[in-house]
Amino acid sequence: MKILLDYKWCFIWAIIVIILCTLPGNNFDAVPAYPGMDKLVHCGMFFVFCTLLYNGVIQQFSGKPTRWLPIFIVSILGFLFAGLTELLQLYIFTYRSGDWWDLFADSIGIGMAGFAYLLNYVNRRS
């Protein structure tokens, strides 16, 4: 049960991401937009998702996680979740579209979170 509590914010954020990815695109017409904003939002959503996963890892291992194993596991989980959201948009919520470039933007956010974790890890160990 403690493990689930360590990752509670990640689970909450995952639900928010799924809700946002399943809303029809016309719900966001009132939001000011610029070219590429969609990709920035995708990048940011998955940066936050993976950062919260890393936070759970740090809590689970009492602030002393290993360096590379969490990066591998969180990256795989993040990419699988990103793929799931794109498949949901492509096949289930047909008023949205699954896009390879969205998956690429998600991957950039996942990589940014891994880099931030690595910087934090190096900083903690010094």
Side-chain angles (χ1 to χ4, degrees), residues 26-125:
N26 60 3
N27 285 357
F28 303 107
D29 287 343
V31 178
Y34 53 86
M37 182 175 163
D38 174 54
K39 304 308 179 245
L40 185 62
V41 168
H42 274 269
C43 182
M45 285 192 313
F46 282 87
F47 173 78
V48 171
F49 175 73
C50 287
T51 299
L52 292 172
L53 269 175
Y54 286 121
N55 183 55
V57 167
I58 290 169
Q59 288 181 3
Q60 182 181 358
F61 293 100
S62 302
K64 298 177 184 123
T66 62
R67 180 182 301 193
W68 296 108
L69 187 60
I71 290 175
F72 178 73
I73 292 172
V74 169
S75 295
I76 295 295
L77 289 174
F79 192 73
L80 289 173
F81 184 55
L84 173 69
T85 61
E86 293 305 317
L87 288 173
L88 284 174
Q89 289 179 0
L90 185 61
Y91 294 113
I92 306 295
F93 305 103
T94 55
Y95 46 82
R96 299 294 301 253
S97 63
D99 185 8
W100 286 106
W101 289 110
D102 287 348
L103 189 60
F104 178 74
D106 299 342
S107 300
I108 297 296
I110 293 165
M112 288 170 47
F115 184 68
Y117 169 78
L118 201 56
L119 287 177
N120 185 40
Y121 178 86
V122 170
N123 194 24
R124 281 178 184 263
R125 302 299 269 195

Side-chain angles (χ1 to χ4, degrees), residues 1-8 56 58-62:
M1 186 64 170
K2 182 189 177 320
I3 290 176
L4 291 177
L5 291 176
D6 290 340
Y7 296 94
K8 67 181 174 276
I58 290 169
Q59 288 181 3
Q60 182 181 358
F61 293 100
S62 302

